[in-house]
Amino acid sequence: MKKITHHYGVELDWVEPLAKELEGKVEGNFILVPDYIHTGDRYVLNCDPNISALYLDVVYHSEIHLRQVNKTDDFIGVYYNLTEGRAALLSDDIVNRIGRWSYNMAIIDSTLHSDYIVKRGSETFALCIFIKKDTIKEYFQNNHALKKHIDNILDSKKNTIVKFTRMSNKSYNLLVNLRSKKIQEKSFEFHLKGTVLNLIAEFIEKITFDEIVIDTVNEDDLANIMRSKMYLTENIKYAFPGIPFLAQEVNMSVSKYKKLFKKITGMTPNYFFMNSKLLESKRLLEEKQLTIKQVSEELNFAGSSYFIIKFKELFGMSPKNFIRLLQ
């Protein structure tokens, strides 16, 4: 496995060093990498003095471990990842799958280190956006619900910005539309910049103070919550184990566990568990091997009727109608 330590940032001083680590070079906006590492495109764009982006549409032919250790704490990274294959964020040796069918959006403070591992054969389509915290502050000034909390939210001594979630349908459609554009054409730069600004606008519009947990997160805390998240994901066929048990497993108080879990995932542990169950039920239905009743029993729902209600709440249609769409 090829291991690379690198940094990102709004300033593009990281582009040449990353290209060198990947045994490649920079030509214009492109990072050109040898085919035995990956084929496809890496495209970098400085959208304005406070926002830059990295666009990837590649197929990996080598296993890569990218360790991100940033040199500044003045930006946040918003990562949209629609990888088809085996890609994961590594935290304290806990592998957290990311990609199209997993949790495919991450918002990470530049103060945090992260490890990204992608396996050979994986098709990665991703857009990484780097935004100065001062620019986020300007956006928040227009949000009355957040305005008075801005300083606390962006003060790294009081708060760490970190969240792992799923992108909205709107974001997904914006990315799919961008991918349909030809990267070799001069107009691609304008399409990319427009997509980046639209994604940022949606990200800002969706933030409410009720969803923000003001607290710092160190690497151990992050690793513990990610470990707990993985435990819940791996045990979705069973009943919810209870918050006291989960908190004890990562050596946290119940109050700290609930607070950090909500901060990092954007959900309560109970909601995350149910959401993961329903995502798995959708995957099982897509395979067309099990009936609705069998899926309900496989995932230990409290009866088919309850499963149908919860499925409709999340996906906006009944399992029966979803199956019809697959035909």
Side-chain angles (χ1 to χ4, degrees):
M1 180 192 297
K2 186 176 182 64
K3 187 170 182 179
I4 294 170
T5 299
H6 69 104
H7 72 284
Y8 283 137
V10 175
E11 293 80 11
L12 301 183
D13 60 335
W14 53 270
V15 178
E16 289 276 1
L18 179 58
K20 187 175 179 180
E21 289 287 342
L22 288 167
E23 303 175 38
K25 60 183 179 179
V26 179
E27 285 190 6
N29 294 92
F30 291 90
I31 300 176
L32 304 180
V33 176
D35 287 352
Y36 64 84
I37 292 179
H38 71 57
T39 49
D41 299 301
R42 282 179 180 260
Y43 185 97
V44 181
L45 181 66
N46 188 234
C47 300
D48 77 14
N50 297 309
I51 302 170
S52 61
L54 169 63
Y55 174 94
L56 296 95
D57 194 354
V58 302
V59 178
Y60 282 92
H61 305 297
S62 300
E63 186 171 339
I64 302 288
H65 179 168
L66 292 159
R67 178 161 176 77
Q68 182 181 336
V69 182
N70 297 314
K71 294 183 177 180
T72 63
D73 63 355
D74 63 348
F75 73 95
I76 65 167
V78 184
Y79 305 87
Y80 298 86
N81 193 313
L82 293 172
T83 291
E84 298 271 8
R86 297 174 64 195
L89 190 77
L90 186 70
S91 180
D92 193 30
D93 294 328
I94 304 300
V95 177
N96 301 279
R97 289 179 299 166
I98 57 177
R100 181 176 178 183
W101 303 113
S102 301
Y103 288 84
N104 53 27
M105 180 181 176
I107 304 161
I108 305 178
D109 200 302
S110 56
T111 58
L112 287 172
H113 302 329
S114 62
D115 292 82
Y116 178 71
I117 296 174
V118 61
K119 300 289 187 179
R120 179 179 179 181
S122 295
E123 299 178 16
T124 289
F125 172 50
L127 180 60
C128 312
I129 304 172
F130 312 114
I131 318 168
K132 287 280 190 183
K133 290 180 181 177
D134 285 345
T135 299
I136 296 290
K137 187 172 184 177
E138 290 176 14
Y139 281 112
F140 283 1
Q141 290 285 359
N142 297 319
N143 187 319
H144 296 297
L146 296 174
K147 191 172 182 179
K148 64 181 179 181
H149 304 288
I150 293 172
D151 291 334
N152 286 337
I153 292 170
L154 297 175
D155 185 343
S156 58
K157 293 180 180 178
K158 297 179 181 178
N159 185 49
T160 308
I161 299 170
V162 57
K163 187 175 181 181
F164 296 88
T165 185
R166 285 188 62 81
M167 69 180 72
S168 68
N169 288 334
K170 182 179 178 181
S171 294
Y172 176 80
N173 290 331
L174 283 167
L175 290 166
V176 170
N177 183 59
L178 176 64
R179 196 180 195 183
S180 70
K181 309 303 179 185
K182 294 182 179 179
I183 199 168
Q184 294 80 12
E185 295 183 355
K186 290 184 178 180
S187 61
F188 182 77
E189 178 178 324
F190 299 104
H191 290 301
L192 176 56
K193 187 179 291 188
T195 300
V196 166
L197 295 177
N198 271 292
L199 288 169
I200 292 174
E202 194 209 11
F203 162 59
I204 297 297
E205 286 170 6
K206 284 200 161 193
I207 293 176
T208 66
F209 185 66
D210 289 340
E211 295 176 341
I212 295 174
V213 178
I214 303 295
D215 203 354
T216 56
V217 178
N218 59 40
E219 289 187 44
D220 288 339
D221 288 337
L222 178 58
N224 282 329
I225 294 300
M226 297 300 276
R227 181 184 292 112
S228 186
K229 183 172 80 75
M230 184 56 61
Y231 175 87
L232 288 172
T233 302
E234 290 175 347
N235 288 276
I236 54 175
K237 291 185 179 181
Y238 306 104
F240 182 67
I243 291 175
F245 170 82
L246 294 168
Q248 185 178 21
E249 286 294 293
V250 293
N251 198 29
M252 287 185 188
S253 68
V254 168
S255 60
K256 180 179 180 179
Y257 175 80
K258 288 167 66 177
K259 189 175 185 180
L260 290 186
F261 195 99
K262 176 72 180 295
K263 177 180 182 64
I264 292 168
T265 69
M267 308 176 195
T268 65
N270 311 62
Y271 187 86
F272 173 85
F273 185 69
M274 178 57 70
N275 197 65
S276 298
K277 254 187 201 294
L278 291 166
L279 287 170
E280 177 64 7
S281 75
K282 184 170 177 280
R283 187 189 69 79
L284 290 173
L285 289 173
E286 285 172 340
E287 289 184 346
K288 302 179 182 179
Q289 299 298 313
L290 300 176
T291 65
I292 293 171
K293 182 179 180 181
Q294 287 170 330
V295 169
S296 174
E297 292 172 348
E298 176 76 7
L299 294 174
N300 200 34
F301 281 94
S304 297
S305 297
Y306 180 68
F307 166 54
I308 292 168
I309 290 169
K310 301 305 290 184
F311 190 97
K312 190 171 183 178
E313 283 178 1
L314 184 62
F315 300 115
M317 67 182 75
S318 68
K320 188 175 181 180
N321 286 338
F322 175 69
I323 290 170
R324 284 176 181 161
L325 288 177
L326 300 174
Q327 296 172 349

